[in-house]
Amino acid sequence: MEKIIQQTIDQIRKTHGLAGGIMVAVKDGKVLAKECFGEADIQTHRPVTPKTYFQIASCSKAFTTMVAGQLCEEGLMTWDTPVKQLMPDFCMMDKYAEEHVTPRDMGCHRTGLCRHDVMRTFVREDRADLVRRIAYFPPAYSFREKYSYQNQMYVALGYLCERLTGKTWEELLKEKIGDPLGMDMCFRGVDCMAGKDAALPYAQTKGQLYEVPEVVGKASNPCGGLYTNLDSLERWVRMLCNGGELDGARIISKEGLEELIKPNVCTPGKSAHPAELQKSYGLAWITAVYKGHRIAFHSGSTDGFNSMVGFFPELNAGFALSVNTVDTPAYNAFKYLLCDMILGEVEDSYQFILDEFNKISFAPNYTEEEKADLPISEEEANRRFCGDYYNPGYGTLHFDYHEGKLRLLYGLMDQPFNRVGDSKFVGFQVLDTRTFKAFFNQDSNLVMEWSDAPCPIHFEKMA
């Protein structure tokens, strides 16, 4: 087994670069594989260990729904109680959705909202404020029309748990999951990772690694702010495989765990592996059938980290992995390698997963018109475009002029834009592979669009 793991690591490093990572697979209480590889810090050559913290990003969502499931069992809520009854000040722009949205809708991404992740670079510390701003997000779809991945609703779900208990999301995770399971947990924006055995975040271009700024801010932790390590992920997976209990500590009932992985809404798109079919979304778990076996899994991606956690409910088996390098095919390749290890069907090579990844374009999705780069003078930029623009959900965007480009300053963002028309500009954020479009209309106001939010956001020019 070590040979195929090392072969896959070498294949990924050769073409995409890979700083380090962790992985574990368990079945029937036994460890099939448990590996640390590479470096947590490529400058000092500090190695990855079983205690090295990795930021697991959206794999944190399953901890949020686990706590919510526990609160259901304690009688504080149900998955199908309208959130408005539990948290009366919760508001949405779609008033029907506001009255009827449930924790289940929040947890399976069918509220009608699309991603508004740009706003989370601005509201980084105040969770209540982040949830309050949901009231100003225009719906992209009708309520319960379709699956549409949405991080802020997970923040709202975590915040609901806080309101029902009087404890922070971070306190709930440690008290209800971390301490009973003996897991090491740290939280973005709460715990200082400097000086800890923590992996640094890296990205790669043509296989060359470079360090990237770590995502900061505690406000959005319920959708992706947990740091943990290999030893702890092993215990998390063991509990999931064992129907919600580990070493005498019951985290959730078998029925409660099953509710988390029950399909609620179909998810679009095909899997990276042709043998993974019938994908749906439960509650922080994607459910599918892999080689004839039911599987629940979820990925996590943030600047510098990719993670994956999954389990086979009927096989008492599961896996977890994380790497501190993006963008690479590592988390998909290792996912299917570990799954096949559990099933006893390991392939001779996982190059075909790498080949599928190489078909993905991480370039701007510009039209031919938008590939233009028209000149703009500082005088014209200041007269027509520079200044502050306000939206009640997003707050204030600021545009200025720098080195021949219009530049957006917003929260942690410092994004240059190319001029592609008289009043139209486009920009491409490399790490998030997100395309921005800015339209300045005749009354000097602004309409912003970005590739993962298919609804225009209107901003008013401030005097």
Side-chain angles (χ1 to χ4, degrees):
M1 292 302 176
E2 289 187 5
K3 181 179 179 181
I4 186 63
I5 291 173
Q6 189 58 53
Q7 174 184 300
T8 306
I9 292 171
D10 292 342
Q11 288 173 322
I12 296 167
R13 278 184 173 152
K14 182 178 179 180
T15 54
H16 297 89
L18 193 58
I22 54 176
M23 66 178 78
V24 64
V26 298
K27 185 175 184 180
D28 295 327
K30 297 179 181 179
V31 175
L32 302 181
K34 187 175 181 180
E35 298 284 341
C36 307
F37 62 89
E39 296 174 334
D41 181 341
I42 65 175
Q43 298 300 320
T44 65
H45 302 294
R46 176 166 53 87
V48 174
T49 76
K51 296 296 185 183
T52 301
Y53 284 99
F54 281 73
Q55 188 175 156
I56 65 170
S58 285
C59 292
S60 307
K61 287 180 169 67
F63 290 80
T64 299
T65 56
M66 181 64 74
V67 167
Q70 292 170 330
L71 298 187
C72 288
E73 295 189 339
E74 293 170 18
L76 295 180
M77 58 177 273
T78 77
W79 283 113
D80 300 305
T81 304
V83 172
K84 193 76 170 174
Q85 294 181 19
L86 302 168
M87 193 162 60
D89 55 344
F90 177 76
C91 294
M92 296 179 67
M93 189 173 287
D94 180 337
K95 293 306 174 184
Y96 180 86
E98 177 185 306
E99 294 294 332
H100 292 85
V101 68
T102 64
R104 186 184 304 278
D105 296 316
M106 289 176 161
C108 72
H109 305 292
R110 62 181 187 192
T111 63
L113 295 184
C114 62
R115 287 179 182 256
H116 289 270
D117 290 337
V118 173
M119 190 270 292
R120 295 189 297 123
T121 73
F122 179 70
V123 182
R124 301 190 299 276
E125 303 299 333
D126 190 336
R127 194 165 297 154
D129 185 38
L130 195 155
V131 175
R132 178 189 64 80
R133 291 169 184 265
I134 291 173
Y136 303 100
F137 293 169
Y141 311 103
S142 297
F143 178 52
R144 294 180 182 160
E145 175 188 347
K146 62 187 295 184
Y147 166 89
S148 177
Y149 198 84
Q150 221 288 329
N151 281 303
Q152 284 86 348
M153 279 298 180
Y154 260 87
V155 179
L157 180 58
Y159 182 64
L160 172 62
C161 295
E162 295 183 332
R163 293 277 292 269
L164 293 174
T165 63
K167 298 177 181 179
T168 68
W169 177 84
E170 292 82 2
E171 290 169 340
L172 289 168
L173 257 63
K174 288 185 74 76
E175 176 187 312
K176 291 179 165 293
I177 301 173
D179 291 345
L181 291 181
M183 292 181 65
D184 297 320
M185 291 180 169
C186 288
F187 302 101
R188 186 173 62 203
V190 176
D191 297 294
C192 178
M193 304 308 292
K196 286 182 167 46
D197 182 6
L200 300 183
Y202 297 96
Q204 63 88 23
T205 300
K206 296 182 179 179
Q208 297 300 306
L209 300 178
Y210 60 95
E211 189 174 348
V212 297
E214 197 149 353
V215 174
V216 297
K218 67 182 180 182
S220 59
N221 278 353
C223 73
L226 176 62
Y227 292 82
T228 191
N229 56 36
L230 179 58
D231 283 346
S232 297
L233 284 172
E234 179 188 341
R235 295 192 64 77
W236 172 242
V237 170
R238 284 180 181 275
M239 178 275 297
L240 294 169
C241 295
N242 200 38
E245 183 270 339
L246 182 66
D247 296 339
R250 177 149 294 281
I251 304 303
I252 195 169
S253 69
K254 290 184 178 180
E255 296 78 13
L257 180 61
E258 187 64 32
E259 192 69 32
L260 300 181
I261 59 174
K262 182 175 72 175
N264 288 300
V265 59
C266 292
T267 58
K270 68 175 185 177
S271 296
H273 197 297
E276 187 174 84
L277 305 170
Q278 300 178 2
K279 285 169 56 178
S280 297
Y281 203 92
L283 296 167
W285 294 103
I286 297 171
T287 66
V289 174
Y290 180 68
K291 296 186 175 180
H293 300 277
R294 186 165 66 118
I295 185 175
F297 64 92
H298 207 287
S299 63
S301 297
T302 189
D303 294 357
F305 294 95
N306 283 150
S307 303
M308 186 81 74
V309 177
F311 64 108
F312 293 87
E314 280 75 46
L315 299 181
N316 191 13
F319 63 90
L321 66 97
S322 187
V323 297
N324 61 331
T325 312
V326 296
D327 294 292
T328 82
Y331 68 143
N332 270 333
F334 294 143
K335 169 195 171 181
Y336 293 116
L337 190 162
L338 294 174
C339 285
D340 289 348
M341 195 176 295
I342 287 168
L343 299 178
E345 301 180 16
V346 176
E347 304 275 356
D348 292 333
S349 171
Y350 287 83
Q351 181 64 45
F352 69 100
I353 299 295
L354 279 59
D355 294 340
E356 281 298 308
F357 180 86
N358 292 335
K359 296 176 184 178
I360 301 171
S361 173
F362 294 98
N365 57 337
Y366 296 157
T367 64
E368 283 301 315
E369 173 204 359
E370 291 165 348
K371 294 177 182 178
D373 188 5
L374 305 177
I376 182 171
S377 68
E378 184 171 10
E379 183 277 329
E380 183 186 13
N382 286 328
R383 174 170 50 86
R384 296 185 60 191
F385 309 119
C386 291
D388 293 332
Y389 296 81
Y390 178 76
N391 172 279
Y394 279 74
T396 302
L397 305 181
H398 177 78
F399 280 91
D400 70 9
Y401 180 86
H402 181 69
E403 296 183 348
K405 302 285 185 183
L406 201 62
R407 183 177 65 168
L408 168 62
L409 301 173
Y410 177 70
L412 298 176
M413 290 180 59
D414 185 347
Q415 177 65 47
F417 279 73
N418 291 344
R419 187 181 196 176
V420 297
D422 178 64
S423 301
K424 182 180 179 181
F425 296 78
V426 296
F428 181 66
Q429 194 175 36
V430 175
L431 275 180
D432 289 324
T433 62
R434 183 183 289 130
T435 301
F436 293 88
K437 300 180 182 182
F439 306 87
F440 295 87
N441 53 33
Q442 292 181 348
D443 58 5
S444 298
N445 293 329
L446 168 69
V447 177
M448 290 289 298
E449 295 180 0
W450 34 86
S451 50
D452 55 4
C455 56
I457 311 298
H458 295 264
F459 292 82
E460 184 177 350
K461 181 71 177 286
M462 299 174 68

